[in-house]
PDB file of all heavy atoms in Angstrom:
ATOM      1  N   GLN A 200       1.202   4.548  10.541  1.00  0.00           N
ATOM      2  CA  GLN A 200       0.949   4.287  11.950  1.00  0.00           C
ATOM      3  C   GLN A 200      -0.534   3.963  12.131  1.00  0.00           C
ATOM      4  O   GLN A 200      -1.321   4.055  11.201  1.00  0.00           O
ATOM      5  CB  GLN A 200       1.352   5.505  12.789  1.00  0.00           C
ATOM      6  CG  GLN A 200       2.804   5.899  12.648  1.00  0.00           C
ATOM      7  CD  GLN A 200       3.749   4.798  13.097  1.00  0.00           C
ATOM      8  OE1 GLN A 200       3.527   4.173  14.133  1.00  0.00           O
ATOM      9  NE2 GLN A 200       4.798   4.542  12.321  1.00  0.00           N
ATOM     10  N   HIS A 201      -0.906   3.609  13.354  1.00  0.00           N
ATOM     11  CA  HIS A 201      -2.323   3.365  13.650  1.00  0.00           C
ATOM     12  C   HIS A 201      -3.018   4.722  13.780  1.00  0.00           C
ATOM     13  O   HIS A 201      -3.416   5.149  14.861  1.00  0.00           O
ATOM     14  CB  HIS A 201      -2.462   2.562  14.943  1.00  0.00           C
ATOM     15  CG  HIS A 201      -1.831   1.202  14.889  1.00  0.00           C
ATOM     16  ND1 HIS A 201      -2.407   0.147  14.217  1.00  0.00           N
ATOM     17  CD2 HIS A 201      -0.679   0.732  15.414  1.00  0.00           C
ATOM     18  CE1 HIS A 201      -1.632  -0.924  14.346  1.00  0.00           C
ATOM     19  NE2 HIS A 201      -0.586  -0.598  15.052  1.00  0.00           N
ATOM     20  N   SER A 202      -3.163   5.410  12.653  1.00  0.00           N
ATOM     21  CA  SER A 202      -3.619   6.801  12.671  1.00  0.00           C
ATOM     22  C   SER A 202      -4.316   7.140  11.362  1.00  0.00           C
ATOM     23  O   SER A 202      -3.769   6.909  10.282  1.00  0.00           O
ATOM     24  CB  SER A 202      -2.412   7.732  12.881  1.00  0.00           C
ATOM     25  OG  SER A 202      -2.721   9.060  12.547  1.00  0.00           O
ATOM     26  N   VAL A 203      -5.511   7.721  11.478  1.00  0.00           N
ATOM     27  CA  VAL A 203      -6.222   8.200  10.293  1.00  0.00           C
ATOM     28  C   VAL A 203      -5.429   9.306   9.625  1.00  0.00           C
ATOM     29  O   VAL A 203      -5.258   9.328   8.399  1.00  0.00           O
ATOM     30  CB  VAL A 203      -7.632   8.698  10.675  1.00  0.00           C
ATOM     31  CG1 VAL A 203      -8.303   9.373   9.487  1.00  0.00           C
ATOM     32  CG2 VAL A 203      -8.496   7.542  11.174  1.00  0.00           C
ATOM     33  N   ALA A 204      -4.928  10.250  10.427  1.00  0.00           N
ATOM     34  CA  ALA A 204      -4.220  11.409   9.879  1.00  0.00           C
ATOM     35  C   ALA A 204      -2.957  10.993   9.134  1.00  0.00           C
ATOM     36  O   ALA A 204      -2.675  11.498   8.036  1.00  0.00           O
ATOM     37  CB  ALA A 204      -3.883  12.396  10.996  1.00  0.00           C
ATOM     38  N   ASP A 205      -2.165  10.091   9.711  1.00  0.00           N
ATOM     39  CA  ASP A 205      -0.936   9.643   9.050  1.00  0.00           C
ATOM     40  C   ASP A 205      -1.245   8.941   7.731  1.00  0.00           C
ATOM     41  O   ASP A 205      -0.574   9.166   6.716  1.00  0.00           O
ATOM     42  CB  ASP A 205      -0.158   8.690   9.963  1.00  0.00           C
ATOM     43  CG  ASP A 205       0.547   9.406  11.094  1.00  0.00           C
ATOM     44  OD1 ASP A 205       0.597  10.647  11.069  1.00  0.00           O
ATOM     45  OD2 ASP A 205       1.038   8.725  12.017  1.00  0.00           O
ATOM     46  N   THR A 206      -2.263   8.096   7.737  1.00  0.00           N
ATOM     47  CA  THR A 206      -2.619   7.371   6.517  1.00  0.00           C
ATOM     48  C   THR A 206      -3.180   8.311   5.461  1.00  0.00           C
ATOM     49  O   THR A 206      -2.912   8.152   4.262  1.00  0.00           O
ATOM     50  CB  THR A 206      -3.624   6.253   6.837  1.00  0.00           C
ATOM     51  OG1 THR A 206      -3.109   5.452   7.904  1.00  0.00           O
ATOM     52  CG2 THR A 206      -3.869   5.368   5.624  1.00  0.00           C
ATOM     53  N   LEU A 207      -3.945   9.302   5.895  1.00  0.00           N
ATOM     54  CA  LEU A 207      -4.448  10.317   4.952  1.00  0.00           C
ATOM     55  C   LEU A 207      -3.281  11.019   4.257  1.00  0.00           C
ATOM     56  O   LEU A 207      -3.280  11.183   3.027  1.00  0.00           O
ATOM     57  CB  LEU A 207      -5.312  11.324   5.702  1.00  0.00           C
ATOM     58  CG  LEU A 207      -6.072  12.374   4.862  1.00  0.00           C
ATOM     59  CD1 LEU A 207      -7.336  12.822   5.604  1.00  0.00           C
ATOM     60  CD2 LEU A 207      -5.204  13.594   4.562  1.00  0.00           C
ATOM     61  N   ASN A 208      -2.269  11.419   5.018  1.00  0.00           N
ATOM     62  CA  ASN A 208      -1.107  12.108   4.437  1.00  0.00           C
ATOM     63  C   ASN A 208      -0.352  11.208   3.470  1.00  0.00           C
ATOM     64  O   ASN A 208       0.079  11.649   2.389  1.00  0.00           O
ATOM     65  CB  ASN A 208      -0.174  12.592   5.548  1.00  0.00           C
ATOM     66  CG  ASN A 208      -0.747  13.745   6.340  1.00  0.00           C
ATOM     67  OD1 ASN A 208      -1.567  14.510   5.828  1.00  0.00           O
ATOM     68  ND2 ASN A 208      -0.331  13.883   7.582  1.00  0.00           N
ATOM     69  N   ILE A 209      -0.181   9.942   3.846  1.00  0.00           N
ATOM     70  CA  ILE A 209       0.521   9.000   2.969  1.00  0.00           C
ATOM     71  C   ILE A 209      -0.250   8.798   1.671  1.00  0.00           C
ATOM     72  O   ILE A 209       0.320   8.813   0.578  1.00  0.00           O
ATOM     73  CB  ILE A 209       0.740   7.667   3.699  1.00  0.00           C
ATOM     74  CG1 ILE A 209       1.799   7.841   4.786  1.00  0.00           C
ATOM     75  CG2 ILE A 209       1.148   6.561   2.730  1.00  0.00           C
ATOM     76  CD1 ILE A 209       1.864   6.719   5.774  1.00  0.00           C
ATOM     77  N   MET A 210      -1.570   8.650   1.783  1.00  0.00           N
ATOM     78  CA  MET A 210      -2.391   8.453   0.584  1.00  0.00           C
ATOM     79  C   MET A 210      -2.365   9.697  -0.295  1.00  0.00           C
ATOM     80  O   MET A 210      -2.338   9.595  -1.531  1.00  0.00           O
ATOM     81  CB  MET A 210      -3.827   8.110   0.986  1.00  0.00           C
ATOM     82  CG  MET A 210      -4.685   7.615  -0.182  1.00  0.00           C
ATOM     83  SD  MET A 210      -4.176   6.000  -0.793  1.00  0.00           S
ATOM     84  CE  MET A 210      -4.192   6.275  -2.569  1.00  0.00           C
ATOM     85  N   GLN A 211      -2.358  10.870   0.305  1.00  0.00           N
ATOM     86  CA  GLN A 211      -2.253  12.107  -0.474  1.00  0.00           C
ATOM     87  C   GLN A 211      -0.957  12.122  -1.284  1.00  0.00           C
ATOM     88  O   GLN A 211      -0.949  12.494  -2.466  1.00  0.00           O
ATOM     89  CB  GLN A 211      -2.305  13.328   0.450  1.00  0.00           C
ATOM     90  CG  GLN A 211      -3.682  13.640   0.986  1.00  0.00           C
ATOM     91  CD  GLN A 211      -3.688  14.802   1.944  1.00  0.00           C
ATOM     92  OE1 GLN A 211      -2.682  15.098   2.612  1.00  0.00           O
ATOM     93  NE2 GLN A 211      -4.816  15.486   2.043  1.00  0.00           N
ATOM     94  N   ASN A 212       0.138  11.720  -0.652  1.00  0.00           N
ATOM     95  CA  ASN A 212       1.426  11.686  -1.345  1.00  0.00           C
ATOM     96  C   ASN A 212       1.425  10.660  -2.479  1.00  0.00           C
ATOM     97  O   ASN A 212       2.002  10.897  -3.553  1.00  0.00           O
ATOM     98  CB  ASN A 212       2.549  11.372  -0.357  1.00  0.00           C
ATOM     99  CG  ASN A 212       2.787  12.486   0.644  1.00  0.00           C
ATOM    100  OD1 ASN A 212       2.470  13.636   0.370  1.00  0.00           O
ATOM    101  ND2 ASN A 212       3.327  12.152   1.799  1.00  0.00           N
ATOM    102  N   ILE A 213       0.789   9.521  -2.249  1.00  0.00           N
ATOM    103  CA  ILE A 213       0.697   8.496  -3.295  1.00  0.00           C
ATOM    104  C   ILE A 213      -0.094   9.027  -4.491  1.00  0.00           C
ATOM    105  O   ILE A 213       0.291   8.837  -5.650  1.00  0.00           O
ATOM    106  CB  ILE A 213       0.049   7.217  -2.736  1.00  0.00           C
ATOM    107  CG1 ILE A 213       0.958   6.571  -1.690  1.00  0.00           C
ATOM    108  CG2 ILE A 213      -0.263   6.234  -3.865  1.00  0.00           C
ATOM    109  CD1 ILE A 213       0.293   5.442  -0.912  1.00  0.00           C
ATOM    110  N   LEU A 214      -1.207   9.702  -4.207  1.00  0.00           N
ATOM    111  CA  LEU A 214      -2.038  10.249  -5.283  1.00  0.00           C
ATOM    112  C   LEU A 214      -1.291  11.328  -6.064  1.00  0.00           C
ATOM    113  O   LEU A 214      -1.395  11.406  -7.291  1.00  0.00           O
ATOM    114  CB  LEU A 214      -3.329  10.823  -4.694  1.00  0.00           C
ATOM    115  CG  LEU A 214      -4.298   9.786  -4.108  1.00  0.00           C
ATOM    116  CD1 LEU A 214      -5.402  10.487  -3.332  1.00  0.00           C
ATOM    117  CD2 LEU A 214      -4.889   8.899  -5.190  1.00  0.00           C
ATOM    118  N   THR A 215      -0.530  12.151  -5.360  1.00  0.00           N
ATOM    119  CA  THR A 215       0.251  13.193  -6.024  1.00  0.00           C
ATOM    120  C   THR A 215       1.295  12.582  -6.963  1.00  0.00           C
ATOM    121  O   THR A 215       1.532  13.080  -8.066  1.00  0.00           O
ATOM    122  CB  THR A 215       0.944  14.089  -4.987  1.00  0.00           C
ATOM    123  OG1 THR A 215      -0.055  14.718  -4.170  1.00  0.00           O
ATOM    124  CG2 THR A 215       1.792  15.161  -5.645  1.00  0.00           C
ATOM    125  N   ALA A 216       1.894  11.474  -6.508  1.00  0.00           N
ATOM    126  CA  ALA A 216       2.919  10.806  -7.319  1.00  0.00           C
ATOM    127  C   ALA A 216       2.316   9.994  -8.462  1.00  0.00           C
ATOM    128  O   ALA A 216       3.040   9.582  -9.378  1.00  0.00           O
ATOM    129  CB  ALA A 216       3.771   9.903  -6.432  1.00  0.00           C
ATOM    130  N   ASN A 217       1.009   9.759  -8.408  1.00  0.00           N
ATOM    131  CA  ASN A 217       0.318   8.974  -9.444  1.00  0.00           C
ATOM    132  C   ASN A 217      -0.915   9.741  -9.907  1.00  0.00           C
ATOM    133  O   ASN A 217      -2.057   9.373  -9.569  1.00  0.00           O
ATOM    134  CB  ASN A 217      -0.075   7.607  -8.883  1.00  0.00           C
ATOM    135  CG  ASN A 217       1.104   6.755  -8.486  1.00  0.00           C
ATOM    136  OD1 ASN A 217       1.664   6.025  -9.302  1.00  0.00           O
ATOM    137  ND2 ASN A 217       1.487   6.837  -7.218  1.00  0.00           N
ATOM    138  N   PRO A 218      -0.722  10.821 -10.678  1.00  0.00           N
ATOM    139  CA  PRO A 218      -1.817  11.748 -10.956  1.00  0.00           C
ATOM    140  C   PRO A 218      -2.753  11.341 -12.094  1.00  0.00           C
ATOM    141  O   PRO A 218      -3.831  11.931 -12.237  1.00  0.00           O
ATOM    142  CB  PRO A 218      -1.075  13.032 -11.335  1.00  0.00           C
ATOM    143  CG  PRO A 218       0.194  12.544 -11.967  1.00  0.00           C
ATOM    144  CD  PRO A 218       0.573  11.305 -11.217  1.00  0.00           C
ATOM    145  N   ASN A 219      -2.369  10.334 -12.875  1.00  0.00           N
ATOM    146  CA  ASN A 219      -3.117  10.055 -14.097  1.00  0.00           C
ATOM    147  C   ASN A 219      -4.159   8.953 -13.900  1.00  0.00           C
ATOM    148  O   ASN A 219      -3.964   8.035 -13.103  1.00  0.00           O
ATOM    149  CB  ASN A 219      -2.150   9.638 -15.207  1.00  0.00           C
ATOM    150  CG  ASN A 219      -1.115  10.707 -15.493  1.00  0.00           C
ATOM    151  OD1 ASN A 219      -1.444  11.883 -15.624  1.00  0.00           O
ATOM    152  ND2 ASN A 219       0.145  10.297 -15.570  1.00  0.00           N
ATOM    153  N   PRO A 220      -5.256   9.017 -14.653  1.00  0.00           N
ATOM    154  CA  PRO A 220      -6.241   7.929 -14.624  1.00  0.00           C
ATOM    155  C   PRO A 220      -5.567   6.599 -14.966  1.00  0.00           C
ATOM    156  O   PRO A 220      -4.787   6.521 -15.917  1.00  0.00           O
ATOM    157  CB  PRO A 220      -7.239   8.331 -15.710  1.00  0.00           C
ATOM    158  CG  PRO A 220      -7.108   9.815 -15.823  1.00  0.00           C
ATOM    159  CD  PRO A 220      -5.659  10.114 -15.571  1.00  0.00           C
ATOM    160  N   GLY A 221      -5.838   5.592 -14.186  1.00  0.00           N
ATOM    161  CA  GLY A 221      -5.232   4.283 -14.414  1.00  0.00           C
ATOM    162  C   GLY A 221      -3.935   4.056 -13.664  1.00  0.00           C
ATOM    163  O   GLY A 221      -3.442   2.924 -13.613  1.00  0.00           O
ATOM    164  N   ASP A 222      -3.366   5.122 -13.089  1.00  0.00           N
ATOM    165  CA  ASP A 222      -2.140   4.936 -12.302  1.00  0.00           C
ATOM    166  C   ASP A 222      -2.399   4.032 -11.099  1.00  0.00           C
ATOM    167  O   ASP A 222      -1.517   3.261 -10.693  1.00  0.00           O
ATOM    168  CB  ASP A 222      -1.611   6.282 -11.807  1.00  0.00           C
ATOM    169  CG  ASP A 222      -0.888   7.069 -12.891  1.00  0.00           C
ATOM    170  OD1 ASP A 222      -0.643   6.502 -13.963  1.00  0.00           O
ATOM    171  OD2 ASP A 222      -0.583   8.258 -12.661  1.00  0.00           O
ATOM    172  N   ILE A 223      -3.593   4.156 -10.511  1.00  0.00           N
ATOM    173  CA  ILE A 223      -3.979   3.337  -9.363  1.00  0.00           C
ATOM    174  C   ILE A 223      -5.353   2.740  -9.641  1.00  0.00           C
ATOM    175  O   ILE A 223      -6.307   3.461  -9.884  1.00  0.00           O
ATOM    176  CB  ILE A 223      -4.028   4.168  -8.060  1.00  0.00           C
ATOM    177  CG1 ILE A 223      -2.671   4.827  -7.779  1.00  0.00           C
ATOM    178  CG2 ILE A 223      -4.452   3.280  -6.888  1.00  0.00           C
ATOM    179  CD1 ILE A 223      -2.701   5.810  -6.620  1.00  0.00           C
ATOM    180  N   SER A 224      -5.429   1.416  -9.595  1.00  0.00           N
ATOM    181  CA  SER A 224      -6.717   0.743  -9.814  1.00  0.00           C
ATOM    182  C   SER A 224      -7.424   0.437  -8.510  1.00  0.00           C
ATOM    183  O   SER A 224      -8.663   0.417  -8.443  1.00  0.00           O
ATOM    184  CB  SER A 224      -6.501  -0.570 -10.579  1.00  0.00           C
ATOM    185  OG  SER A 224      -5.765  -0.350 -11.766  1.00  0.00           O
ATOM    186  N   ALA A 225      -6.651   0.155  -7.452  1.00  0.00           N
ATOM    187  CA  ALA A 225      -7.232  -0.212  -6.165  1.00  0.00           C
ATOM    188  C   ALA A 225      -6.220   0.071  -5.062  1.00  0.00           C
ATOM    189  O   ALA A 225      -5.011   0.142  -5.305  1.00  0.00           O
ATOM    190  CB  ALA A 225      -7.620  -1.685  -6.146  1.00  0.00           C
ATOM    191  N   VAL A 226      -6.739   0.241  -3.864  1.00  0.00           N
ATOM    192  CA  VAL A 226      -5.907   0.451  -2.680  1.00  0.00           C
ATOM    193  C   VAL A 226      -6.254  -0.630  -1.662  1.00  0.00           C
ATOM    194  O   VAL A 226      -7.433  -0.866  -1.374  1.00  0.00           O
ATOM    195  CB  VAL A 226      -6.140   1.836  -2.056  1.00  0.00           C
ATOM    196  CG1 VAL A 226      -5.290   2.015  -0.796  1.00  0.00           C
ATOM    197  CG2 VAL A 226      -5.836   2.940  -3.070  1.00  0.00           C
ATOM    198  N   PHE A 227      -5.226  -1.294  -1.131  1.00  0.00           N
ATOM    199  CA  PHE A 227      -5.425  -2.296  -0.083  1.00  0.00           C
ATOM    200  C   PHE A 227      -4.802  -1.786   1.207  1.00  0.00           C
ATOM    201  O   PHE A 227      -3.628  -1.439   1.254  1.00  0.00           O
ATOM    202  CB  PHE A 227      -4.772  -3.625  -0.470  1.00  0.00           C
ATOM    203  CG  PHE A 227      -4.780  -4.638   0.650  1.00  0.00           C
ATOM    204  CD1 PHE A 227      -5.957  -5.271   1.005  1.00  0.00           C
ATOM    205  CD2 PHE A 227      -3.618  -4.945   1.337  1.00  0.00           C
ATOM    206  CE1 PHE A 227      -5.974  -6.207   2.042  1.00  0.00           C
ATOM    207  CE2 PHE A 227      -3.618  -5.875   2.366  1.00  0.00           C
ATOM    208  CZ  PHE A 227      -4.798  -6.508   2.717  1.00  0.00           C
ATOM    209  N   VAL A 228      -5.621  -1.712   2.271  1.00  0.00           N
ATOM    210  CA  VAL A 228      -5.119  -1.398   3.604  1.00  0.00           C
ATOM    211  C   VAL A 228      -5.494  -2.550   4.523  1.00  0.00           C
ATOM    212  O   VAL A 228      -6.459  -3.269   4.273  1.00  0.00           O
ATOM    213  CB  VAL A 228      -5.683  -0.065   4.134  1.00  0.00           C
ATOM    214  CG1 VAL A 228      -5.252   1.095   3.252  1.00  0.00           C
ATOM    215  CG2 VAL A 228      -7.208  -0.105   4.234  1.00  0.00           C
ATOM    216  N   THR A 229      -4.754  -2.738   5.592  1.00  0.00           N
ATOM    217  CA  THR A 229      -4.904  -3.963   6.376  1.00  0.00           C
ATOM    218  C   THR A 229      -5.955  -3.887   7.472  1.00  0.00           C
ATOM    219  O   THR A 229      -6.264  -4.905   8.083  1.00  0.00           O
ATOM    220  CB  THR A 229      -3.554  -4.368   6.980  1.00  0.00           C
ATOM    221  OG1 THR A 229      -2.891  -3.209   7.507  1.00  0.00           O
ATOM    222  CG2 THR A 229      -2.662  -5.005   5.934  1.00  0.00           C
ATOM    223  N   TYR A 230      -6.505  -2.707   7.747  1.00  0.00           N
ATOM    224  CA  TYR A 230      -7.702  -2.661   8.592  1.00  0.00           C
ATOM    225  C   TYR A 230      -8.374  -1.307   8.448  1.00  0.00           C
ATOM    226  O   TYR A 230      -7.843  -0.392   7.826  1.00  0.00           O
ATOM    227  CB  TYR A 230      -7.419  -3.025  10.048  1.00  0.00           C
ATOM    228  CG  TYR A 230      -6.772  -1.970  10.928  1.00  0.00           C
ATOM    229  CD1 TYR A 230      -7.492  -1.381  11.961  1.00  0.00           C
ATOM    230  CD2 TYR A 230      -5.433  -1.613  10.785  1.00  0.00           C
ATOM    231  CE1 TYR A 230      -6.910  -0.458  12.807  1.00  0.00           C
ATOM    232  CE2 TYR A 230      -4.838  -0.694  11.619  1.00  0.00           C
ATOM    233  CZ  TYR A 230      -5.583  -0.118  12.638  1.00  0.00           C
ATOM    234  OH  TYR A 230      -4.989   0.799  13.471  1.00  0.00           O
ATOM    235  N   ASP A 231      -9.580  -1.189   9.034  1.00  0.00           N
ATOM    236  CA  ASP A 231     -10.458  -0.092   8.632  1.00  0.00           C
ATOM    237  C   ASP A 231     -10.090   1.280   9.184  1.00  0.00           C
ATOM    238  O   ASP A 231     -10.508   2.286   8.619  1.00  0.00           O
ATOM    239  CB  ASP A 231     -11.928  -0.414   8.939  1.00  0.00           C
ATOM    240  CG  ASP A 231     -12.160  -0.866  10.368  1.00  0.00           C
ATOM    241  OD1 ASP A 231     -11.206  -0.895  11.151  1.00  0.00           O
ATOM    242  OD2 ASP A 231     -13.314  -1.211  10.694  1.00  0.00           O
ATOM    243  N   LEU A 232      -9.302   1.367  10.262  1.00  0.00           N
ATOM    244  CA  LEU A 232      -8.827   2.687  10.697  1.00  0.00           C
ATOM    245  C   LEU A 232      -7.991   3.322   9.595  1.00  0.00           C
ATOM    246  O   LEU A 232      -8.117   4.514   9.296  1.00  0.00           O
ATOM    247  CB  LEU A 232      -8.018   2.569  11.989  1.00  0.00           C
ATOM    248  CG  LEU A 232      -7.522   3.884  12.583  1.00  0.00           C
ATOM    249  CD1 LEU A 232      -8.686   4.670  13.169  1.00  0.00           C
ATOM    250  CD2 LEU A 232      -6.462   3.631  13.656  1.00  0.00           C
ATOM    251  N   LEU A 233      -7.143   2.510   8.961  1.00  0.00           N
ATOM    252  CA  LEU A 233      -6.323   3.002   7.850  1.00  0.00           C
ATOM    253  C   LEU A 233      -7.200   3.335   6.651  1.00  0.00           C
ATOM    254  O   LEU A 233      -6.931   4.302   5.923  1.00  0.00           O
ATOM    255  CB  LEU A 233      -5.278   1.958   7.464  1.00  0.00           C
ATOM    256  CG  LEU A 233      -4.446   1.329   8.586  1.00  0.00           C
ATOM    257  CD1 LEU A 233      -3.382   0.413   8.001  1.00  0.00           C
ATOM    258  CD2 LEU A 233      -3.832   2.380   9.477  1.00  0.00           C
ATOM    259  N   ALA A 234      -8.234   2.542   6.444  1.00  0.00           N
ATOM    260  CA  ALA A 234      -9.135   2.795   5.317  1.00  0.00           C
ATOM    261  C   ALA A 234      -9.784   4.166   5.435  1.00  0.00           C
ATOM    262  O   ALA A 234      -9.978   4.857   4.430  1.00  0.00           O
ATOM    263  CB  ALA A 234     -10.206   1.713   5.253  1.00  0.00           C
ATOM    264  N   SER A 235     -10.104   4.586   6.661  1.00  0.00           N
ATOM    265  CA  SER A 235     -10.731   5.899   6.854  1.00  0.00           C
ATOM    266  C   SER A 235      -9.836   7.015   6.319  1.00  0.00           C
ATOM    267  O   SER A 235     -10.295   7.925   5.628  1.00  0.00           O
ATOM    268  CB  SER A 235     -11.022   6.127   8.341  1.00  0.00           C
ATOM    269  OG  SER A 235     -11.957   5.199   8.824  1.00  0.00           O
ATOM    270  N   GLY A 236      -8.542   6.938   6.628  1.00  0.00           N
ATOM    271  CA  GLY A 236      -7.618   7.959   6.138  1.00  0.00           C
ATOM    272  C   GLY A 236      -7.443   7.919   4.636  1.00  0.00           C
ATOM    273  O   GLY A 236      -7.424   8.952   3.961  1.00  0.00           O
ATOM    274  N   ALA A 237      -7.331   6.704   4.083  1.00  0.00           N
ATOM    275  CA  ALA A 237      -7.159   6.569   2.635  1.00  0.00           C
ATOM    276  C   ALA A 237      -8.382   7.087   1.888  1.00  0.00           C
ATOM    277  O   ALA A 237      -8.260   7.789   0.870  1.00  0.00           O
ATOM    278  CB  ALA A 237      -6.886   5.109   2.281  1.00  0.00           C
ATOM    279  N   VAL A 238      -9.575   6.765   2.375  1.00  0.00           N
ATOM    280  CA  VAL A 238     -10.807   7.215   1.721  1.00  0.00           C
ATOM    281  C   VAL A 238     -10.905   8.741   1.742  1.00  0.00           C
ATOM    282  O   VAL A 238     -11.289   9.363   0.736  1.00  0.00           O
ATOM    283  CB  VAL A 238     -12.036   6.577   2.397  1.00  0.00           C
ATOM    284  CG1 VAL A 238     -13.322   7.271   1.951  1.00  0.00           C
ATOM    285  CG2 VAL A 238     -12.116   5.096   2.067  1.00  0.00           C
ATOM    286  N   GLN A 239     -10.565   9.342   2.871  1.00  0.00           N
ATOM    287  CA  GLN A 239     -10.611  10.805   2.946  1.00  0.00           C
ATOM    288  C   GLN A 239      -9.692  11.442   1.908  1.00  0.00           C
ATOM    289  O   GLN A 239     -10.068  12.416   1.245  1.00  0.00           O
ATOM    290  CB  GLN A 239     -10.219  11.273   4.348  1.00  0.00           C
ATOM    291  CG  GLN A 239     -11.269  11.018   5.413  1.00  0.00           C
ATOM    292  CD  GLN A 239     -10.852  11.569   6.764  1.00  0.00           C
ATOM    293  OE1 GLN A 239     -10.287  12.657   6.865  1.00  0.00           O
ATOM    294  NE2 GLN A 239     -11.125  10.814   7.812  1.00  0.00           N
ATOM    295  N   ALA A 240      -8.479  10.902   1.775  1.00  0.00           N
ATOM    296  CA  ALA A 240      -7.525  11.455   0.812  1.00  0.00           C
ATOM    297  C   ALA A 240      -8.046  11.292  -0.616  1.00  0.00           C
ATOM    298  O   ALA A 240      -7.944  12.220  -1.435  1.00  0.00           O
ATOM    299  CB  ALA A 240      -6.173  10.770   0.965  1.00  0.00           C
TER     300      ALA A 240
END
Side-chain angles (χ1 to χ4, degrees):
Q200 301 299 316
H201 298 284
S202 164
V203 172
D205 285 350
T206 308
L207 187 153
N208 289 334
I209 289 166
M210 192 69 226
Q211 285 177 333
N212 292 336
I213 294 170
L214 292 169
T215 299
N217 297 273
N219 301 313
D222 283 350
I223 302 172
S224 307
V226 178
F227 172 73
V228 298
T229 43
Y230 78 111
D231 51 2
L232 183 71
L233 312 185
S235 296
V238 167
Q239 287 183 40

